[in-house]
Amino acid sequence: MFFKYLGYYSVAVFIFISGFGLYTSFALKGNEYIKKFPFKRILSFYTIYCVLSIIYIIYDFILGITHSA
């Protein structure tokens, strides 16, 4: 039970620190940071996500693992 609540608090702290970091970056760099944010951050994350998803699908196919929808 202790670790369950520790996990909740850890996630809350992580989200707070992430939001504070984004706010600080926006405050220091202005609108230019917001204009470049989707391309620099989200697009790079999405590319890695797609590559890893394809690797996962190939791995499941090779091992014969099926998932129900």
Side-chain angles (χ1 to χ4, degrees), residues 42-53:
I42 297 173
L43 188 61
S44 64
F45 173 78
Y46 185 70
T47 304
I48 293 170
Y49 172 78
C50 289
V51 170
L52 291 176
S53 295

Side-chain angles (χ1 to χ4, degrees), residues 30-60:
N31 287 334
E32 199 62 35
Y33 178 75
I34 296 298
K35 290 178 185 176
K36 293 180 181 179
F37 183 81
F39 299 106
K40 290 184 82 175
R41 304 287 185 204
I42 297 173
L43 188 61
S44 64
F45 173 78
Y46 185 70
T47 304
I48 293 170
Y49 172 78
C50 289
V51 170
L52 291 176
S53 295
I54 291 169
I55 291 171
Y56 178 73
I57 291 169
I58 293 170
Y59 180 75
D60 280 356

Side-chain angles (χ1 to χ4, degrees), residues 2-22:
F2 170 75
F3 290 110
K4 178 180 178 180
Y5 290 112
L6 179 65
Y8 292 156
Y9 291 124
S10 299
V11 169
V13 169
F14 172 77
I15 290 172
F16 174 77
I17 292 172
S18 296
F20 182 74
L22 286 173

